[in-house]
Amino acid sequence: VPDFTHDAARRSWLDAANRPTDFPLQNLPFGVFRVRDDEIARVGIAIGDAILDLGRAHEAGLFAGDALAAADACVGHSLNPLLALARPARQALRHRVSRLLGPEATGVEREAVAALLVPRADVRMELPVAIGDYTDFYASIHHATNVGRMLRPEHPLLPNYKWVPIGYHGRASSVVVSGTEIARPRGQRLLPGAEAPTFGPSGRLDYELEIGAYVSGGNSLGHPIPIDRAREHLFGLCLVNDWSARDLQAWEYQPLGPFLSKSFATTVSPWVVTADALEPYRVAMPPRPAGDPPPLPYLDSAQEREAGAYDIALEVWLRTAAMRAQGLPPVRVSLSHARDLYWSFPQLITHHTSNGCNLRPGDLLASGTVSGSAPEARASLLELTWQGAHPLPLPTGEQRRFLEDGDEVVFRGRVPATGGATMGFGECRGLVRAPAS
Amino acid sequence: VPDFTHDAARRSWLDAANRPTDFPLQNLPFGVFRVRDDEIARVGIAIGDAILDLGRAHEAGLFAGDALAAADACVGHSLNPLLALARPARQALRHRVSRLLGPEATGVEREAVAALLVPRADVRMELPVAIGDYTDFYASIHHATNVGRMLRPEHPLLPNYKWVPIGYHGRASSVVVSGTEIARPRGQRLLPGAEAPTFGPSGRLDYELEIGAYVSGGNSLGHPIPIDRAREHLFGLCLVNDWSARDLQAWEYQPLGPFLSKSFATTVSPWVVTADALEPYRVAMPPRPAGDPPPLPYLDSAQEREAGAYDIALEVWLRTAAMRAQGLPPVRVSLSHARDLYWSFPQLITHHTSNGCNLRPGDLLASGTVSGSAPEARASLLELTWQGAHPLPLPTGEQRRFLEDGDEVVFRGRVPATGGATMGFGECRGLVRAPAS
């Protein structure tokens, strides 16, 4: 049954939603915003250059039935209660909001809704979800191969890579929302030629372009989620910058994996684009190269093979302090694609719970660096500059091996234009500053 | 200034607190309990074979001043609000409870308190803290050396071990309280002689005996906790069983560390023994062997060298289904000691925040397997049986390489007896069952 909210021909009565924007009527992403610093945070849906305040819309009596149950879950200051609901209630809310902002809205409804719209320019966005556990995967075989080539040129991929969706537990407390400044971390690193480590600011700070997925529903301990039920637990996606201190990482990561090289900060984009909105942009997973094993049965599903990947183009933009001072715009340094991941998010969910581990509503799963096979699709400076061997030239005459203080990194993501409508994720932005003294 | 609560000569008017018990008047550990399954969980302090219900004691008007502020934080169903308070309020509460249960209590107070005591035999204990992030360290050099010898006999310790307090992010959602049954995890493992992995129940399920520390206070992102302030953020300790599936671990852990081999369950003991109660049991850290580097300056402190370790003896007891059926008691399989750790908890706290990572009240830090140098001090079956090469004989004639379904594992911890009083942690218990089908 086609879902009317996906109809690319539908236009909003709100003009700004019909101009080029990441947030047309077909998107309706969820976020948490604050109009003034002293006001409590509120749940909203982005539309064009505005936000529909869901708590106030609920107070105004705009919802009924299943949509009302979902709107009830949106009166707080995080998306967690909404993520705890079953999908039908969330879909009912989406349908109702689409009608309220779409051509079906009556004059009375338009007037009521218009009074509840907040200009996006007037708000500060907050972390949308109180994240219980954050897990970071390693689902791009191109990224794993690139990193492996630097460490082990003859056997870049470890023997487990094509079998196990490799992942590790990340740090939930230091996940921050787009726009938060990133203090360069200090830590232990072995400087070139040194025999002993020293403690000081990281000299190899990097970004990693990733896609994040928020879990809805979840499972109880000891009860894995089978692959054909995993997609129900995918609430929506965001952009993630898994900031990484490569020098700290190289020294600390054996034998238990990355720790302080990652836990100083992880940035997420503020708007969560729902799995419902992305439904038309599901595409076949890339065929596995000849000789690669098929996924083990617990991870294998025709549904995933045929429509497990997402058609999302991903970009990294960089602007240095000197570029800002000279009035130069950011430059795009990576152009990658979510389609190229070796594992789908439902496969990651099923693997994660296959040992009985429980996922909770609001858990964040990230893909790992989404690199592609093309040189420009390398989605970290580590890969782009090949550990600094090939510095990145910039319009100012500067070059970058790794990030310097004052550098600003912005991620964007967009699905293909359909019938003139674009749809995207907004920004995931972070400016690097010197550590506090 | 000596703290009267540490006086080993003080006796409670409650007889059971003066008989051999882990919970004499000198201990006063915090926990969360539930009298009936349908009743809301409540915060309490263990004394002898009873629990003082702090919420009801608060209602009864037994607290004033700073102690009242701390008691206010104990009316909910977790210790998190208490952990968010500064230490003086928590100490005031401890002092007041010690007087209420001690020889100073008036007749009226004794009568009031007696009415608020709940027999421990009548309650079900709950997870005491809503854990934000769980971090597991690797702070026993004996454990790291044993594991290293199995993998790399010639160079057991990696070059970073003596410099970096190695740790990794653990899974918070699957931390369970003592008594919760542990379903054997399924997962990918490479069976002996196999060329490809298969998915099935772990055949190498193990325990790991650890000490856990709950964080109080905490720090904001970007603001490390210096070593001489770190002890303030240590609320108290518990016992931790970091259940591990060795076959899953061996196959999955490269390059990002343990993941599903650990995240199926982690058991904690229900009673949190406060840092205040343990103050008399701080001892010098073991001197570093000749040739070992001193800690880097950010981790070094005279206070830690002189009194950074804890004098806690740790035990592992095992009872199989056949032993239960034959009426045989559990056997002690490991006898280890917290004093032997290479890093102190304040050093772990300082290292954890040295990159700017924020700790929050209620975060759990675990030590890693607390093995010692003696053969009986190997605190996992992996070490005790040397990967199964030397099975553990049991009184039934059975033997164990790894855990089998029906095996029950119990951890205990005790400080040395002082003036006749013992003091301990209670139990950390888990029974292994077959996975749900």
Side-chain angles (χ1 to χ4, degrees):
Chain A
V1 185
D3 183 324
F4 75 94
T5 65
H6 299 145
D7 179 355
R10 288 177 72 245
R11 290 286 175 272
S12 175
W13 48 264
L14 190 71
D15 287 343
N18 305 320
R19 291 194 284 266
T21 172
D22 277 358
F23 308 128
L25 183 59
Q26 288 73 21
N27 193 342
L28 304 181
F30 286 83
V32 171
F33 67 99
R34 204 184 279 268
V35 177
R36 289 181 304 277
D37 281 0
D38 56 351
E39 193 194 302
I40 198 160
R42 310 173 69 86
V43 173
I45 284 181
I47 178 76
D49 55 5
I51 301 172
L52 174 62
D53 183 326
L54 283 176
R56 291 185 60 213
H58 178 278
E59 286 168 24
L62 290 173
F63 302 109
D66 269 1
L68 179 61
D72 269 335
C74 294
V75 299
H77 52 275
S78 84
L79 300 183
N80 295 64
L82 181 70
L83 272 54
L85 295 183
R87 194 175 177 197
R90 288 184 273 116
Q91 282 179 315
L93 179 63
R94 172 178 172 78
H95 287 177
R96 175 65 178 150
V97 170
S98 183
R99 287 196 184 94
L100 285 171
L101 291 164
E104 305 86 350
T106 65
V108 171
E109 285 172 341
R110 291 177 193 205
E111 198 174 334
V113 167
L116 303 173
L117 293 175
V118 181
R120 282 204 289 123
D122 292 354
V123 309
R124 195 180 74 189
M125 297 304 296
E126 300 284 332
L127 206 58
V129 172
I131 297 165
D133 279 288
Y134 160 45
T135 303
D136 197 16
F137 285 92
Y138 199 55
S140 161
I141 195 169
H142 306 289
H143 173 66
T145 303
N146 285 337
V147 173
R149 279 173 60 199
M150 297 175 202
L151 298 172
R152 298 170 302 273
E154 293 178 18
H155 302 286
L157 273 187
L158 291 166
N160 59 9
Y161 187 84
K162 292 176 178 175
W163 300 93
V164 184
I166 297 291
Y168 69 104
H169 307 296
R171 177 81 193 174
S173 73
S174 54
V175 177
V176 297
V177 74
S178 176
T180 306
E181 287 190 355
I182 303 302
R184 177 180 300 276
R186 291 194 175 89
Q188 289 192 32
R189 64 275 192 274
L190 200 58
L191 295 175
E195 294 200 348
T198 47
F199 182 83
S202 170
R204 303 191 130 206
L205 183 60
D206 201 355
Y207 62 81
E208 288 193 342
L209 168 65
E210 307 196 2
I211 296 275
Y214 288 103
V215 171
S216 51
N219 60 310
S220 53
L221 193 63
H223 295 275
I225 299 174
I227 185 66
D228 287 327
R229 307 296 302 269
R231 195 162 280 279
E232 297 165 28
H233 298 271
L234 184 63
F235 171 68
L237 304 185
C238 67
L239 305 174
V240 176
N241 188 339
D242 177 29
W243 304 94
S244 300
R246 302 298 180 192
D247 40 2
L248 277 58
Q249 188 173 358
W251 176 237
E252 77 170 359
Y253 91 107
Q254 291 281 19
L256 299 183
F259 180 44
L260 300 191
S261 54
K262 304 277 193 172
S263 65
F264 58 93
T266 303
T267 305
V268 293
S269 57
W271 293 105
V272 185
V273 178
T274 64
D276 288 331
L278 290 166
E279 196 61 24
Y281 303 97
R282 286 172 55 191
V283 292
M285 294 183 66
R288 295 195 159 204
D292 282 15
L296 286 176
Y298 78 104
L299 293 175
D300 201 12
S301 121
Q303 185 188 208
E304 294 308 307
R305 281 195 302 275
E306 291 159 18
Y310 283 108
D311 198 0
I312 304 169
L314 299 164
E315 300 175 340
V316 180
W317 296 77
L318 176 66
R319 197 183 194 195
T320 68
M323 290 165 71
R324 275 196 304 283
Q326 296 177 31
L328 294 172
V331 287
R332 192 177 72 193
V333 295
S334 303
L335 172 58
S336 175
H337 211 289
R339 199 175 42 205
D340 292 334
L341 295 172
Y342 199 75
W343 302 102
S344 72
F345 277 109
Q347 286 175 322
L348 300 181
I349 287 171
T350 291
H351 181 65
H352 203 320
T353 65
S354 64
N355 67 342
C357 179
N358 53 330
L359 296 181
R360 297 179 292 191
D363 284 349
L364 176 63
L365 314 184
S367 59
T369 310
V370 189
S371 293
S373 56
E376 79 268 16
R378 294 172 178 173
S380 65
L381 285 175
L382 179 76
E383 293 162 88
L384 275 174
T385 73
W386 212 254
Q387 301 187 80
H390 305 294
L392 195 71
L394 294 171
T396 46
E398 298 174 287
Q399 56 181 27
R400 285 292 177 272
R401 291 178 164 82
F402 291 97
L403 294 171
E404 299 193 5
D405 294 347
D407 286 357
E408 189 167 41
V409 179
V410 179
F411 295 170
R412 296 184 162 281
R414 284 207 186 81
V415 300
T418 318
T422 60
M423 187 169 122
F425 283 76
E427 289 181 349
C428 180
R429 175 186 293 269
L431 187 140
V432 176
R433 64 168 175 79
S437 59
Chain B
V1 184
D3 183 324
F4 76 94
T5 64
H6 299 145
D7 180 356
R10 289 177 72 244
R11 290 286 175 272
S12 176
W13 49 264
L14 190 70
D15 287 343
N18 306 320
R19 290 195 284 267
T21 171
D22 277 358
F23 309 128
L25 184 58
Q26 289 71 21
N27 193 342
L28 304 180
F30 286 83
V32 171
F33 67 98
R34 205 185 279 267
V35 177
R36 289 183 302 277
D37 281 0
D38 56 350
E39 193 194 302
I40 199 159
R42 311 173 68 86
V43 173
I45 283 181
I47 178 75
D49 56 3
I51 300 171
L52 174 61
D53 183 325
L54 283 176
R56 291 185 60 211
H58 178 279
E59 286 168 23
L62 290 172
F63 302 110
D66 268 2
L68 179 61
D72 269 335
C74 295
V75 299
H77 52 276
S78 84
L79 300 183
N80 295 63
L82 182 69
L83 272 54
L85 295 183
R87 194 175 176 196
R90 287 184 273 115
Q91 282 180 316
L93 179 63
R94 172 178 172 77
H95 287 178
R96 174 65 177 151
V97 171
S98 183
R99 288 195 182 95
L100 284 171
L101 291 164
E104 305 84 351
T106 65
V108 172
E109 285 171 342
R110 291 178 195 206
E111 198 173 334
V113 167
L116 304 173
L117 293 175
V118 181
R120 282 203 289 122
D122 292 354
V123 308
R124 196 180 74 188
M125 297 304 296
E126 301 284 331
L127 206 58
V129 172
I131 297 165
D133 279 288
Y134 161 45
T135 302
D136 197 17
F137 285 93
Y138 199 55
S140 162
I141 195 168
H142 307 288
H143 174 66
T145 303
N146 285 339
V147 174
R149 280 173 60 201
M150 296 175 204
L151 297 172
R152 298 170 303 274
E154 294 178 15
H155 303 286
L157 273 187
L158 291 167
N160 58 8
Y161 188 85
K162 292 176 179 175
W163 300 92
V164 184
I166 297 290
Y168 69 103
H169 308 296
R171 179 81 193 173
S173 72
S174 55
V175 176
V176 298
V177 74
S178 175
T180 306
E181 287 191 354
I182 304 301
R184 177 180 300 276
R186 293 193 174 88
Q188 289 192 32
R189 63 275 193 274
L190 201 59
L191 294 175
E195 295 200 345
T198 47
F199 182 84
S202 169
R204 303 193 130 205
L205 183 61
D206 201 355
Y207 62 81
E208 288 193 342
L209 168 65
E210 307 197 3
I211 296 274
Y214 288 103
V215 171
S216 50
N219 61 310
S220 54
L221 192 64
H223 296 274
I225 298 174
I227 185 67
D228 287 327
R229 307 297 302 269
R231 196 162 279 279
E232 297 166 29
H233 298 271
L234 184 62
F235 172 69
L237 304 185
C238 66
L239 306 174
V240 176
N241 189 338
D242 177 28
W243 303 95
S244 300
R246 303 298 181 192
D247 40 1
L248 278 56
Q249 188 173 357
W251 176 237
E252 76 171 0
Y253 90 106
Q254 292 279 20
L256 299 183
F259 180 44
L260 300 191
S261 54
K262 303 277 192 172
S263 65
F264 58 94
T266 303
T267 305
V268 293
S269 58
W271 293 106
V272 185
V273 178
T274 65
D276 289 330
L278 290 166
E279 196 61 24
Y281 303 97
R282 286 172 56 190
V283 292
M285 294 183 67
R288 294 194 160 205
D292 281 16
L296 286 177
Y298 78 104
L299 292 175
D300 200 13
S301 121
Q303 183 187 210
E304 293 309 307
R305 280 195 302 275
E306 291 159 18
Y310 283 107
D311 198 0
I312 305 168
L314 300 164
E315 301 175 341
V316 179
W317 295 78
L318 175 66
R319 197 182 196 196
T320 68
M323 289 165 72
R324 276 196 305 282
Q326 296 176 32
L328 294 172
V331 288
R332 192 177 71 194
V333 295
S334 304
L335 172 58
S336 175
H337 211 289
R339 198 174 43 204
D340 293 334
L341 295 172
Y342 199 75
W343 303 102
S344 72
F345 276 110
Q347 287 175 322
L348 300 181
I349 287 172
T350 291
H351 181 65
H352 204 320
T353 64
S354 64
N355 67 343
C357 180
N358 54 329
L359 296 181
R360 297 178 293 191
D363 284 348
L364 176 63
L365 314 184
S367 58
T369 310
V370 188
S371 293
S373 55
E376 79 268 17
R378 294 172 178 172
S380 65
L381 285 175
L382 179 76
E383 293 163 88
L384 276 175
T385 73
W386 214 254
Q387 302 187 79
H390 306 292
L392 193 72
L394 294 171
T396 44
E398 297 173 287
Q399 56 180 25
R400 285 292 177 273
R401 291 178 164 82
F402 292 97
L403 295 171
E404 299 192 5
D405 294 347
D407 286 357
E408 188 166 41
V409 179
V410 179
F411 295 170
R412 295 184 164 282
R414 283 205 188 83
V415 300
T418 317
T422 60
M423 186 169 123
F425 283 76
E427 289 181 348
C428 181
R429 176 185 293 269
L431 187 138
V432 176
R433 65 168 174 78
S437 58

